[in-house]
C-alpha cells in the first residue's frame, strides 16, 4: 500500500505503509561477532529488526536506514551500506 501524496501519517502507521522505499542506506547484519545481546532489536525505532540465536535481520520493507542499530551494536557487527536499487 502506498501513501497518498500530500497526507500526514498518524503515529504507528508504518505497519500500514511500506516506508523502506526512500531509504538511502541499509543495515547488513554480518553475524560474525554477534553475542545475542538483542540491543539492535531494542533500539530500532520502527521495530523492524527480528531474529534469534545470533541471526538477525531488518525487514527492508519498513527499515528507513537510520543507522541506530549500527551505532548501538557493542560489537560493531552491523554495517550500513549504500542502498542499490
Amino acid at each position: 500500500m502506498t501513501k497518498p501524496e500530500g497526507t500526514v501519517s498518524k503515529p504507528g502507521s508504518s505497519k500500514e505503509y511500506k516506508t523502506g522505499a526512500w531509504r538511502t542506506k541499509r543495515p547488513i547484519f554480518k553475524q560474525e561477532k554477534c553475542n545475542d545481546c538483542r540491543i539492535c532489536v531494542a533500539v530500532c525505532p520502527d521495530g523492524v529488526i527480528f531474529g534469534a540465536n545470533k541471526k538477525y535481520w531488518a525487514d527492508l520493507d519498513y527499515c528507513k536506514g537510520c543507522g541506530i542499530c549500527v551505532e548501538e551494536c557493542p560489537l560493531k557487527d552491523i554495517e550500513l551500506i549504500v542502498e542499490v536499487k
Side-chain angles (χ1 to χ4, degrees):
M1 171 185 271
T2 58
K3 182 134 183 73
E5 191 172 342
T7 60
V8 177
S9 295
K10 64 181 186 230
S13 67
S14 64
K15 296 283 184 200
E16 295 176 41
Y17 302 107
K18 293 184 178 181
T19 54
W22 54 269
R23 179 182 56 246
T24 59
K25 294 184 179 180
R26 66 182 170 101
I28 298 294
F29 293 77
K30 297 187 277 185
Q31 302 175 25
E32 297 167 354
K33 300 181 270 183
C34 181
N35 65 359
D36 225 14
C37 68
R38 299 182 54 83
I39 290 174
C40 57
V41 175
V43 299
C44 178
D46 291 307
V48 299
I49 298 177
F50 303 95
N53 300 319
K54 302 180 183 183
K55 300 218 185 293
Y56 292 87
W57 66 90
D59 183 338
L60 297 178
D61 283 338
Y62 301 100
C63 173
K64 294 180 182 89
C66 68
I68 293 173
C69 58
V70 175
E71 290 297 318
E72 295 300 321
C73 177
L75 299 175
K76 304 302 177 202
D77 202 37
I78 309 169
E79 181 180 356
L80 205 58
I81 65 166
V82 174
E83 181 73 57
V84 178
K85 295 188 181 193

